[in-house]
Structure formats: structure tokens, C-alpha cells
Amino acid sequence: MNEAPATLHTGRHFLQIPGPTNVPDRVLRAIDMPTIDHRGPEFARLGLAVIDGCKRVFQTAQPVVIYPSSGTGAWEAAILNTLSPGDRVLMAETGHFATLWRKMAEKLKLGVEFQPGDWRHGADPATIGARLADDRGHAIKAVMVVHNETSTGVTSRIPEIRRAIDQANHPALFLVDTISSLGSIDYRHDEWGVDVTVAGSQKGLMLPPGLGFNAVSDKALAASRANASPRSYWDWQEIIAANRTGYWPYTPATNLLYGLREALAMLEEEGLANVFARHDRHAAATRAAVRAWGMDILCADPREYSSALTAVMMPQGYDADHYRGVVLDRFDMSLGTGLAKLKGTVFRIGHLGHFNDLTLMGTLAGVEMGFDAAGVPYTPGGVIAAMNSLTGRAENL
Ligand SMILES: *Cc1c(COP(=O)(O)O)cnc(C)c1O
């Protein structure tokens, strides 16, 4: 083998994609335990603890179903339990993930109305409300929205969409994907009147990939009971029944549940309000850096800036993936790629999960040094602008 050795990296890899995110040592150690009998008494204590803790993070008193699955599995579970082939649903084109959820809905034979979007804005409450007001026969069975569109760094205004549904006096179920927002951006399943909240383990929850979640309202549960279309593995009823005593109808992902118990404890020790404020602060500092570099943020509406990630538009004529490759090679940092139609023109900085001021500063220093290394034109000073934003010095300058 005469191949040149791969660049030798020391220290920690910076995994600054918007999921999977960096897993805290505490969580890794919690997972590193013998697998126990999932029918035994010790397991029931674990099962009850994680279900209870999840309710606090989803901000719900209603059932939270945990699947051994990726987020995509939890998407499918939300659809299969509440909807049947032929049902009409209203979705909004916020970006790549909304488009993927739409494709799944179509494969499952739903009739999807996809409100077009420019991938720089969230789902529009007014457009959704107007369409529902028009639907006097209540043909639309569900409104399905991605809360934090991970491909664009745009966060849709869920409470406003709820109000639009209510103002139209429409009975449609409200299904929301929080896969990249839960545990990072304020989200309230009960208060915001969401019927199914879909989540995953590997983003704000700081776990490895492998758990999917559905928080389920009474209305969604009733819809699932009335829904005759076939499903088995994903069916809520049996799981919720077994969960009452802390068990699952099949073998759960025991070791990931150990990790979940620890991650929930970390979120609660910090306090959810503080977790959200921390993400807001890091996102604001990131935007200060991007502006100082003379670059544009993909999200076009300041009300919809994501606190979990920032998508940065590359200067014209420079390839984002080439730049990302240089950053990975030189600094051992992974930045998020531009997905689908954003390929090459956008890169994404993940600032969610297990993260602090210095992780942010290290990340932004890697981004800024990467511009030089890759020959990308920029105005120096983004790192200092972010530092001033974090220290509060920006306001006094
Ligand atoms: C990551 C993500 C998904 C897909 O989740 P997987 O775990 O990869 O199946 C869906 N929606 C959003 C908003 C995401 O961020």
C-alpha cells in the first residue's frame, strides 16, 4: 500500500452537523451497561422513568410512544395510526424534510396537498388557514408540518398554525415533526394543541440514532381507534397498554433507553427554559458571525430563525461541498451538506445538543479558518463578532 496516509487528527472530532449530534460522555457511559431482561422488574423501573421524563420534555400529560427506529419510522407511525389510504392531508413545502415526509405520505396512498414554498420560509399560517376555511366539507384529515426544517434552518410558527386551524373551525388533526427541535427549541405538545408530535433521538436529545417518538393527543388516539387500516408493529394501542407497567410488547432498545434516562436527566438539571435560551444565544452569535463574514443566512424571516442550526449561503461560484471537504480534512470538523436543491450552494452549522460557548467558538473558528484554507472570499472577523455577541460586548460597541 503506497497510498498517502489519511490526515492524522488529534483531539476530538467536531460533529457540527444538525444531527446526529455530539453524544455527552455521561450518556455514553450510561449506555455502556449490561443489557437486562426486558421482562424483569428492573426494566419496568427504567421504562416508567423514561416515559415519564419524555412527557416533561414534550410538555405533555398524554402518552409518548417510543420506538426502536429512526425518525423516519416515527413519521410512518404517525401516519399509519391516524390516517388511511385515500385520506387528504395538507402539508407545506418548507424544505427537504417536508418533501421527504410528503413522499412517504404519497407512498402510503394519502392525497397530499403540498403548499409550495421557497425553502427560505416556514409553513405559512395564513395560507394554511385560508385553505382550511375553504374546505367546508372537511375533506382534509390532517395538517402536517415540520417544526424545524433541518435542511434550511427555518423554524415554523406552530402556535400560529394552531390558531389558524382553530380560526377556520376545522377538525383536521395536527401532526408536527420535531425531530431536530425537541430538546433544543421551545415546543409544547399540549399547550399548542398538537395531535401527534414526531421526534428522534439523535438531535436535540443528544443520543445516538435509534429511537423514534410519537407524542399522542386524546384526539389522535381516538382517530387511531377508529382507523381500520392495517398496521401492526407501529400500532400505538398495544405499546401504550404495555407501557402502563413499564414494558413494551417486543424487545425495546434497552441500552438506548439507559442513555435516554441520562439525557433527560441532563435536560432537567439544566432546566428546559435554560436549554432553549442557550440554543437561542448560540444561534444569535452564529448569525453575528455569518453577517460579519459578509455572507447570507438562508432563512429569510427573522421570526423563523432556527436556534438548532444555521444554513449559510456560499458566495456565488464557490462549491459548499468542496469547502466542507477542506474543513473536514484540515480541522476534523463535519459541517452539514446542502440537501437536494441546496446541494453545493449551502452549508449548515449545527449548534444544537451537547454544546457550550467554547464549542461554538471552536466551531466558528473552524468555519472561518476553512474559508482561507479553501480559498473562499470572506470578510475576516466573524469569530470576534460571535464572541462579542456571547459576551454582550456587541451592544456596547
Ligand atoms: C433528521 C430528520 C428527519 C429524519 O430522521 P431519521 O432519523 O434520519 O430518519 C426527519 N425530519 C427532520 C426535521 C429531521 O431533522
Side-chain angles (χ1 to χ4, degrees):
M1 291 270 288
N2 285 326
E3 254 175 70
T7 314
L8 180 72
H9 292 300
T10 55
R12 281 225 171 181
H13 175 65
F14 267 59
L15 182 66
Q16 297 322 136
I17 60 175
T21 63
N22 296 287
V23 180
D25 291 350
R26 267 178 72 175
V27 171
L28 289 172
R29 294 200 180 103
I31 291 170
D32 182 15
M33 291 281 285
T35 302
I36 55 171
D37 174 9
H38 61 285
R39 311 270 181 219
E42 188 186 345
F43 184 88
R45 284 192 289 279
L46 171 66
L48 291 171
V50 294
I51 292 164
D52 213 46
C54 280
K55 288 184 184 185
R56 291 192 289 275
V57 171
F58 283 85
Q59 306 200 42
T60 182
Q62 297 167 323
V64 177
V65 176
I66 308 172
Y67 296 103
S69 79
S70 82
T72 303
W75 262 353
E76 183 152 345
I79 293 175
L80 290 180
N81 277 281
T82 55
L83 299 161
S84 312
D87 280 351
R88 182 159 287 278
V89 297
L90 185 60
M91 302 181 79
E93 184 194 0
T94 49
H96 181 59
F97 288 101
T99 304
L100 288 178
W101 204 11
R102 172 220 185 152
K103 281 190 187 142
M104 170 187 278
E106 286 175 341
K107 281 188 202 159
L108 296 171
K109 309 287 183 216
L110 303 182
V112 180
E113 283 184 31
F114 202 46
Q115 294 190 329
D118 65 357
W119 294 38
R120 299 192 69 178
H121 293 83
D124 180 40
T127 319
I128 291 173
R131 178 66 192 94
L132 293 177
D134 264 358
D135 179 35
R136 295 212 174 74
H138 297 163
I140 294 169
K141 298 301 174 209
V143 174
M144 299 165 62
V145 173
V146 174
H147 180 215
N148 186 64
E149 176 54 76
T150 322
S151 62
T152 62
V154 176
T155 306
S156 284
R157 291 163 280 147
I158 300 302
E160 287 180 45
I161 297 172
R162 175 74 256 173
R163 271 196 293 283
I165 299 172
D166 291 343
Q167 272 158 17
N169 236 324
H170 199 287
L173 292 166
F174 191 20
L175 276 49
V176 179
D177 168 347
T178 66
I179 294 174
S180 65
S181 53
L182 193 85
S184 308
I185 301 172
D186 192 11
Y187 183 81
R188 309 168 186 206
H189 176 84
D190 286 0
E191 188 183 322
W192 294 355
V194 178
D195 293 299
V196 188
T197 297
V198 177
S201 54
Q202 76 273 27
K203 299 181 186 180
L205 291 180
M206 307 179 287
L207 294 163
L211 295 178
F213 303 83
N214 279 177
V216 180
S217 75
D218 286 339
K219 185 172 159 186
L221 262 185
S224 79
R225 279 194 208 97
N227 182 3
S229 58
R231 59 197 185 272
S232 170
Y233 183 75
W234 301 108
D235 190 64
W236 289 335
Q237 312 294 337
E238 239 187 295
I239 302 171
I240 291 173
N243 279 175
R244 280 193 196 104
T245 47
Y247 298 101
W248 266 258
Y250 46 73
T251 318
T254 306
N255 289 59
L256 284 176
L257 297 180
Y258 288 140
L260 176 59
R261 181 167 59 185
E262 194 66 21
L264 293 169
M266 289 176 71
L267 290 173
E268 296 210 82
E269 283 165 23
E270 186 175 355
L272 276 186
N274 297 327
V275 171
F276 302 145
R278 166 166 62 84
H279 283 80
D280 292 344
R281 197 167 152 269
H282 288 151
T286 303
R287 292 191 296 270
V290 175
R291 291 192 189 105
W293 290 322
M295 290 178 189
D296 288 321
I297 294 158
L298 184 61
C299 177
D301 185 340
R303 291 175 302 175
E304 297 176 334
Y305 281 146
S306 170
S307 288
L309 75 136
T310 301
V312 182
M313 295 166 83
M314 278 303 269
Q316 280 275 320
Y318 293 85
D319 180 51
D321 284 340
H322 173 258
Y323 162 72
R324 287 176 50 255
V326 170
V327 170
L328 178 61
D329 190 52
R330 211 48 102 75
F331 305 115
D332 196 23
M333 177 163 74
S334 295
L335 295 169
T337 187
L339 292 166
K341 73 175 190 186
L342 300 174
K343 188 163 181 54
T345 60
V346 154
F347 69 92
R348 295 170 299 147
I349 305 170
H351 35 72
L352 74 163
H354 185 53
F355 206 70
N356 62 29
D357 286 9
L358 296 191
T359 353
L360 178 70
M361 293 316 303
T363 299
L364 296 176
V367 171
E368 186 160 335
M369 289 193 288
F371 292 144
D372 274 323
V376 176
Y378 74 105
T379 309
V383 167
I384 289 171
M387 213 156 70
N388 288 339
S389 168
L390 289 179
T391 56
R393 190 164 182 267
E395 280 107 74
N396 304 324
L397 287 177

